[in-house]
Amino acid sequence: MPAVIEPDDDVLSREDLDAILDEDARRLLGLSGVEFRQRLAAGTLPEHPAVAHLALLTGAGAC
Amino acid sequence: MREPARSDAQARRRYLRHLNRATQCVAANAVWRAGESETAGVWTAVTAPPTLILGTSAGHPLYVRCTQTFHFANHPDFPGERKVRTEDYAYTIAEDEELRSELASWHWQPDRGHPHPHLHVGFAHPRYTGSPRWHLPTGRVALEEVVAFSIRELDVKPAVDEWEATLGDTLARFRRFRTWS
């Protein structure tokens, strides 16, 4: 079996998750992380394959 | 061989290690990390980088994004041991890094949104033009199955020679200890 590569630190902080959400929501959907959360709560996010992934960063889901 | 986890941290490391083994069959330097989300007790696991570039034998790249959420629980079969229980998953394969040209997405988000595991096919049938948003029923799909699909059906180039044995091993461990069928 090939050796598995593992990160030195496998834990993401809440700030790390927020930063991934904000960066990818801006890049993929043109929304800030705050706007993404607001539109997730309102059910007004655009149809985009990234939405399900970004919603899971908040611990919520949308599919 | 069993890898008993006496703490949540050990359970998390074991879980991420097997995700890393499966993912590194197609993306050699990808690693999984996880953090507790703003929903108490719910952890989100993502890859670094979040969207992985997959080489294909046709020469053009494909892109995959994989996200899971999970929580920790007592192991039902081994008193005193902890395990990770998957709560949700989303796996997307696309032709572009922004995921706009989606080929397929596998979703399972049972407590939120659609209750059953399902597949979205990213391109429209000529008559049933709404087909990309269909929720095609599936069983619960393991990451290993998505990785194997990408190699076998989409001509993704494996990053390791032993990819079948590796995926077979991690999938067998996953099936042996999963708490759903």
Side-chain angles (χ1 to χ4, degrees), chain B:
Chain B
M1 188 174 69
R2 286 190 64 241
E3 303 170 57
R6 303 286 178 192
S7 66
D8 289 353
Q10 289 180 352
R12 184 193 68 243
R13 282 194 289 272
R14 177 179 63 190
Y15 161 78
L16 295 176
R17 184 181 320 118
H18 292 300
L19 291 179
N20 284 330
R21 289 182 68 203
T23 306
Q24 288 166 18
C25 285
V26 288
N29 297 316
V31 292
W32 282 79
R33 301 176 73 198
E36 188 170 10
S37 74
E38 57 205 62
T39 303
V42 177
W43 285 60
T44 301
V46 296
T47 60
T51 302
L52 306 176
I53 304 173
L54 309 180
T56 69
S57 45
H60 60 81
L62 290 177
Y63 300 84
V64 64
R65 186 158 184 144
C66 304
T67 312
Q68 296 189 354
T69 66
F70 65 88
H71 67 272
F72 297 103
N74 289 325
H75 201 299
D77 300 326
F78 302 101
E81 295 186 21
R82 299 289 281 168
K83 75 183 302 290
V84 160
R85 280 193 172 168
T86 309
E87 291 205 3
D88 312 84
Y89 62 69
Y91 309 126
T92 297
I93 300 177
E95 286 190 292
D96 68 302
E97 193 166 8
E98 289 73 36
L99 309 181
R100 283 190 295 265
S101 299
E102 173 193 45
L103 296 177
S105 289
W106 293 261
H107 291 167
W108 180 46
Q109 300 176 2
D111 295 330
R112 314 164 187 101
H114 199 278
H116 304 295
H118 57 272
L119 168 70
H120 295 290
V121 176
F123 40 89
H125 183 279
R127 180 176 304 161
Y128 299 100
T129 54
S131 57
R133 296 334 304 165
W134 285 350
H135 298 80
L136 299 168
T138 65
R140 294 176 195 172
V141 173
L143 174 68
E144 289 85 350
E145 295 172 296
V146 174
V147 173
F149 167 80
S150 76
I151 296 171
R152 292 186 176 123
E153 306 287 344
L154 301 178
D155 295 327
V156 166
K157 289 194 284 191
V160 296
D161 292 336
E162 308 89 338
W163 65 270
E164 284 186 291
T166 300
L167 293 177
D169 181 64
T170 60
L171 185 58
R173 288 172 188 268
F174 171 69
R175 287 179 171 160
R176 193 176 314 135
F177 298 112
R178 70 185 174 189
T179 47
W180 45 268
S181 57

